[in-house]
Amino acid sequence: MKFAVFGAGRIGRMHAENLAKRPDAKLVYVVDTKPDAAKGLAEPLGARQADAQKVFSDRSIDAVLIASSTGSHADLSIAAAKAGKAIFCEKPVDLTLEKTDLCIREVEKAGAPMFVGFNRRFDPSFRALKRRLDKGEAGTIEQVIITNRDPGLPDLRFLATSGGLFLDFTIHDFDMARWLLGEEPVEVFAWGAVLVDPRVKTEANDIDTAMILMRTESGRLCHINNTRRAVYGYDQRIEVFGAKGMLRAENVAPTTVERYDASGGAADSPYPNFQTRYAPAYAAELDAFIAAVQKGERPEVGPRDGRAALLLAEAAMQSHRTGKPVSLRRTGSRRAGP
Amino acid sequence: MKFAVFGAGRIGRMHAENLAKRPDAKLVYVVDTKPDAAKGLAEPLGARQADAQKVFSDRSIDAVLIASSTGSHADLSIAAAKAGKAIFCEKPVDLTLEKTDLCIREVEKAGAPMFVGFNRRFDPSFRALKRRLDKGEAGTIEQVIITNRDPGLPDLRFLATSGGLFLDFTIHDFDMARWLLGEEPVEVFAWGAVLVDPRVKTEANDIDTAMILMRTESGRLCHINNTRRAVYGYDQRIEVFGAKGMLRAENVAPTTVERYDASGGAADSPYPNFQTRYAPAYAAELDAFIAAVQKGERPEVGPRDGRAALLLAEAAMQSHRTGKPVSLRRTGSRRAGP
Amino acid sequence: MKFAVFGAGRIGRMHAENLAKRPDAKLVYVVDTKPDAAKGLAEPLGARQADAQKVFSDRSIDAVLIASSTGSHADLSIAAAKAGKAIFCEKPVDLTLEKTDLCIREVEKAGAPMFVGFNRRFDPSFRALKRRLDKGEAGTIEQVIITNRDPGLPDLRFLATSGGLFLDFTIHDFDMARWLLGEEPVEVFAWGAVLVDPRVKTEANDIDTAMILMRTESGRLCHINNTRRAVYGYDQRIEVFGAKGMLRAENVAPTTVERYDASGGAADSPYPNFQTRYAPAYAAELDAFIAAVQKGERPEVGPRDGRAALLLAEAAMQSHRTGKPVSLRRTGSRRAGP
Amino acid sequence: MKFAVFGAGRIGRMHAENLAKRPDAKLVYVVDTKPDAAKGLAEPLGARQADAQKVFSDRSIDAVLIASSTGSHADLSIAAAKAGKAIFCEKPVDLTLEKTDLCIREVEKAGAPMFVGFNRRFDPSFRALKRRLDKGEAGTIEQVIITNRDPGLPDLRFLATSGGLFLDFTIHDFDMARWLLGEEPVEVFAWGAVLVDPRVKTEANDIDTAMILMRTESGRLCHINNTRRAVYGYDQRIEVFGAKGMLRAENVAPTTVERYDASGGAADSPYPNFQTRYAPAYAAELDAFIAAVQKGERPEVGPRDGRAALLLAEAAMQSHRTGKPVSLRRTGSRRAGP
């Protein structure tokens, strides 16, 4: 499969490098609003800089990987669909429901396969946990607890344009919750706080800490906790409790080395950031996308999943703003889900 | 110190046996509404059955340990205070705020030292965690997560008279939350569910599963999760996250034995129930009570702590009933605390 | 059961205090070559100082607990046996095979039940491991690995009279090896070294570090490693490998608290010394002794076990001295074991 | 760098695939005594089948990777050295000291860089442990304990020609011991046994279980334990004990998922075999080889390391045969090491 990558930033680079290592894929073009950045990424990997026009008109290109700025995801996806390309789009599809819905309509009308990059579903530990849940190892699911803590505050300028904690960061947890609960959440309650750095409020009008509860129609409960700064690393854990027991996935550390000295026993820290922790997940989601396209199957995670997570994030924002739980029963439960 | 124990049931027995092992205490009387039960417990431990009258009029008795039915806690505490005894009272002081307040007034008027048995504060792991929090090991506290899962559903008849999950079971977590957060919670949001057994609803008008959020004035967040049935044992964990890191206390298992075989690696299960898990805590809270009385100090946990936990439980009940968060700002924050 | 304790030192005190807590035992006398020490221990526990003569002639005394200096163990045991007392004797029975054999003969002739205090067999973790081995969880045993590391060098004067590392310290491991291997070791190879402190050699003519291999007739292999100084605590682990898997017992820590901060993740240290680590084992071996005496059964660990461990320690000393493996096939395998 | 791979078997395939993924290397030829096997491996990776003659005469080839049968390692290495190629040679250089010495002489005479594939030095956990040892985290090293257990018995025909357990399997541990001890072992004591399957003796004249002790001139001690069948997976652990504490590297599991159910708590098994466990090590040793060649540096592990490990394996064989420890002081300590 021949690929063009949109976006030569941090995520675009990672995907481009993953493509370059694969025997079953070929990176042909890199597109970026800064052509030099595109060129700098493309050439050492044996690819070329190009513009979108070139990509969409080159019939040899099978697929696009969209890792450009969030605001361009939907438009590029629609254009790619119309050009007959398979689409791998970083999350989120868009920060608004309207544009997301437009994208879904157009992509589905064009019949293009579209994958949305909720990479955590492809983390080896989380995926093994999910497989074991599906085999019934925990019995009927009753509680899901998701811990998602960033190692350190991002640049405040980034935060100011990110869409806010729920849309930019918790969006992953909303997707994981849907995936793990086995039922759509129908009610959301969220509290945010600014505990890490007051400038998150004053300069980015955002929050840096949150706790969320969600429940499903049958009463299953889910808790999510977030912070933008965990000094011990990138804290990524899930716990699922059910009638037959509990499955949990603890943090992943680079090594199994333990030190025991006069001050106690110490294990290795968790991986320090998403690039290291989720490196295998980023590779595995490409596997899944390529396999689905080659087999002509609908990708495992699509834009309707992106939409459903967006709905939950919007509900959390509203709950945080109003101080009340938000029901998705009318607007959400019927329309959410792929 | 000479003791009388009220209540010859499961908890009364445990306390009586702990007293009997101590060189610094002497169990003299056991009182129970069933005199035979009192006798059966008292005599093998070298003590005697008695009635309340006898206890309160015997001037050689220094202290009473009240482990009788919940409804009698306040009255017995008041009577003991008037008789000049030191009081160790099992939680809760009472299921109502009115009676609790009456008890606090009368006990304080009499100047009697009164300890309320929130035993978890004396669990070696939780206490070490708290000591390390106080030393600043986690920095300023931002999030507290408490997991409290009973191993199996109690008798439905017990549940029907227990006061309900929040008052009977979560009350421990409300106390732990206050202790660990370092600030009074001022807002409570709670969802309950019946996921374990529908008879919990139909026969006991109670819930068996809950998730709770609380927050303090400065924005610290706390999550509690509960269930009445964890098939893998008595699941008792706490996690405190702060600006400098995280402290957590995992479950305690009877042994460190691990098995590795063709089906994987397996560690020992957590202790199966509160009697085994908290055996050291029950002994240590007696240490603390006796030491405080002997030194003439106010016991570490008193009836005002009982009252504050009760307020939170009532707020949780109200939140669960109304579907809305409940603020304790006016009624609670000024009056709560010891 | 009425008890006299011989020896008011560190171990004698611990046993005396354990006896004082039991409802089924009564500490009546404490005997020590220093009567003041005996008195100081006895009286707060409600017992009296006495001399050996008094103990052996008091027909109300059922049992003696011998925790005096090693050189007196055998003589006191013989005297106690002749006086019709049940005997709990700290390890070792004696540092010489001759005196050990004499003691076995006299005690058996008198028909007195005699228990030798190999407390590690009664550690909850090691005992659970052994029970699971016996149930076949590891299949046929092939390898046993024992880690026994003291937290810090004892007083050099103690070392000089201790009998040496193998007799004083590794003796516990020789007993554990016999217990876990399920077959008698028939060959021993040992290397010692002075790595901790050169004065161990110059002032105590001893070693502070050792590695040992043993094998049984059928080829099962055992490794023991020792040191006198593990700065991280009292390192006590066992691992048993068999045809169906591995069972291991890791160190025991006082709490389950874990800290995660910028320097990594840290668990609690193992217990710091034998008194804390093996406190439950010391209580449990008293249970076993008292139960055996009351039921008229042979105690689980007896002087023939003490003799068998002594044989292995002597073989290790000889191997260390000669640089060659030492066979116990002729002298040992037929005579060792209870 | 342009590569030819010798050997299209299991290990050759892994190395060839690793080369094919690298942007800084190009696999040009695959050589095998079975040309079809070479072709089957080469072509999907964009390379060609060739014979040795072709490789050595093609001046564009920079390096050879020798993963053919053990008996051909030395001859191919010598031929490659004479042809001016850099050499990556799978362990062992040869099963005999004579041929190993000849290889070292010829390769050094030709000035060719030669790397010997002791991949475990490049395992992320072991390497992190070594780095921390070198930083002094454990203080002066006193004890090293290496656990190396294969998941299941190899084909008996393979065993019969493998050189035996010590040369084929423990050879890795001898290399690790040298690397970790920080001093050359000068004495070896080894016991082998046939506990897994009697046909290991009758059909392959080998052993399947072993325990080994080694010591260095200053008295540092090392224990190695081996088996050919650990039903729970590929058991690969190291523990280093020193004056300031202990560092250990536990097994590595594919996921961090834990299950807690009515039968206990269960973690994931270790990786099942060397291909999965050491996949990152195989990639990292190629990194190290390529980097060394490109910088003109001597590779980190060379044929003199292969020779030193071989000496220890031969000493273990001799000890196992004679039942006595074997000293390497005269023959070994002066000649061993790179």
Side-chain angles (χ1 to χ4, degrees), chain D residues 300-317:
Chain D
E300 180 178 325
V301 203
R304 288 181 178 271
D305 294 296
R307 182 188 192 279
L310 179 61
L311 266 181
L312 294 170
E314 288 195 343
M317 288 171 73

Side-chain angles (χ1 to χ4, degrees), chain D residues 264-333:
Chain D
D268 205 358
S269 293
Y271 275 111
N273 50 40
F274 75 87
Q275 296 96 324
T276 49
R277 161 65 194 257
Y278 289 123
Y282 284 111
E285 66 177 359
L286 265 183
D287 290 350
F289 171 66
I290 290 172
V293 173
Q294 286 176 338
K295 294 184 199 157
E297 292 170 358
R298 176 198 283 270
E300 180 178 325
V301 203
R304 288 181 178 271
D305 294 296
R307 182 188 192 279
L310 179 61
L311 266 181
L312 294 170
E314 288 195 343
M317 288 171 73
Q318 185 183 337
S319 173
H320 169 61
R321 213 163 43 234
T322 61
K324 291 178 188 159
V326 171
S327 172
L328 293 164
R329 280 196 185 80
R330 288 213 212 119
T331 58
S333 64

Side-chain angles (χ1 to χ4, degrees), chain A residues 142-145 147 149 187-189 191-193 195-196 209-215 218-223 225-227 229-232 235 237 239 241-246 248 250 323-325, chain B residues 142-145 147 149 187-189 191-193 195-196 209-215 218-223 225-227 229-232 235 237 239 241-246 248 250 323-325:
Chain A
E142 294 172 6
Q143 301 184 2
V144 170
I145 294 169
T147 299
R149 295 175 181 156
E187 202 169 355
V188 178
F189 182 77
W191 274 336
L195 301 176
V196 172
T209 301
M211 280 196 176
I212 296 160
L213 293 187
M214 300 199 291
R215 64 175 165 187
S218 77
R220 298 178 183 186
L221 297 170
C222 175
H223 166 65
N225 68 71
N226 294 151
T227 173
R229 178 263 298 116
V231 296
Y232 50 89
D235 191 350
R237 290 172 282 150
E239 172 180 324
F241 174 85
K244 291 190 180 162
M246 173 170 67
R248 63 176 187 173
E250 285 289 294
K324 292 179 188 157
Chain B
E142 294 172 5
Q143 300 184 4
V144 171
I145 295 169
T147 300
R149 295 175 181 157
E187 202 170 355
V188 178
F189 182 77
W191 273 337
L195 300 176
V196 173
T209 301
M211 281 197 176
I212 297 161
L213 293 187
M214 300 199 293
R215 62 174 166 188
S218 77
R220 298 178 183 187
L221 297 169
C222 176
H223 166 64
N225 67 71
N226 294 152
T227 173
R229 178 262 297 116
V231 297
Y232 51 90
D235 191 350
R237 290 173 282 149
E239 173 178 324
F241 175 85
K244 290 188 181 163
M246 173 170 68
R248 63 175 188 173
E250 285 288 295
K324 292 180 188 157

Side-chain angles (χ1 to χ4, degrees), chain C residues 42-265:
Chain C
E43 295 189 350
L45 298 173
R48 298 198 302 280
Q49 181 270 338
D51 62 15
Q53 182 59 28
K54 171 82 177 166
V55 166
F56 294 133
S57 62
D58 182 340
R59 301 192 52 189
S60 77
I61 296 299
D62 302 296
V64 297
L65 194 157
I66 301 170
S68 50
S69 64
T70 296
S72 65
H73 287 185
D75 288 339
L76 285 171
S77 294
I78 293 169
K82 288 181 173 170
K85 313 300 187 200
I87 305 155
F88 181 115
C89 182
E90 264 304 317
K91 65 90 206 167
V93 177
D94 194 76
L95 294 177
T96 68
L97 208 51
E98 293 67 26
K99 195 99 179 231
T100 302
D101 283 338
L102 174 67
C103 180
I104 291 171
R105 272 198 310 276
E106 293 295 327
V107 167
E108 293 187 349
K109 197 162 68 187
M114 179 169 176
F115 183 98
V116 174
F118 283 122
N119 58 301
R120 294 184 193 179
R121 295 195 189 198
F122 298 89
D123 173 73
S125 290
F126 295 165
R127 200 160 181 87
L129 186 150
K130 168 66 169 164
R131 200 164 40 230
R132 293 167 67 171
L133 272 185
D134 290 347
K135 282 166 53 188
E137 285 195 20
T140 304
I141 293 161
E142 295 173 5
Q143 300 185 4
V144 171
I145 294 169
I146 298 173
T147 299
N148 179 15
R149 295 174 180 157
D150 233 0
L153 204 60
D155 192 285
L156 289 165
R157 284 164 305 183
F158 165 75
L159 282 192
T161 64
S162 68
L165 186 80
F166 296 125
L167 271 169
D168 172 61
F169 186 71
T170 325
I171 192 89
H172 279 293
D173 308 318
F174 292 124
D175 182 63
M176 290 297 280
R178 292 182 62 237
W179 190 53
L180 295 168
L181 279 165
E183 292 180 354
E184 289 295 325
V186 296
E187 202 169 355
V188 178
F189 182 77
W191 273 336
V194 179
L195 300 176
V196 173
D197 189 332
R199 294 174 303 162
V200 170
K201 173 72 183 164
T202 56
E203 298 187 20
N205 194 30
D206 199 2
I207 52 176
D208 53 37
T209 301
M211 280 196 177
I212 297 161
L213 293 188
M214 301 200 290
R215 63 175 165 186
T216 70
E217 199 63 55
S218 77
R220 298 178 183 186
L221 297 169
C222 176
H223 166 64
I224 296 167
N225 68 72
N226 294 151
T227 174
R228 284 288 195 181
R229 179 263 297 115
V231 297
Y232 51 89
Y234 188 43
D235 192 351
Q236 302 286 300
R237 289 173 283 150
I238 53 179
E239 172 179 325
V240 182
F241 174 86
K244 290 188 180 164
M246 172 170 68
L247 288 168
R248 63 175 188 173
E250 284 289 293
N251 278 314
V252 181
T255 78
T256 63
V257 179
E258 301 169 353
R259 186 183 75 238
Y260 299 84
D261 63 18
S263 68

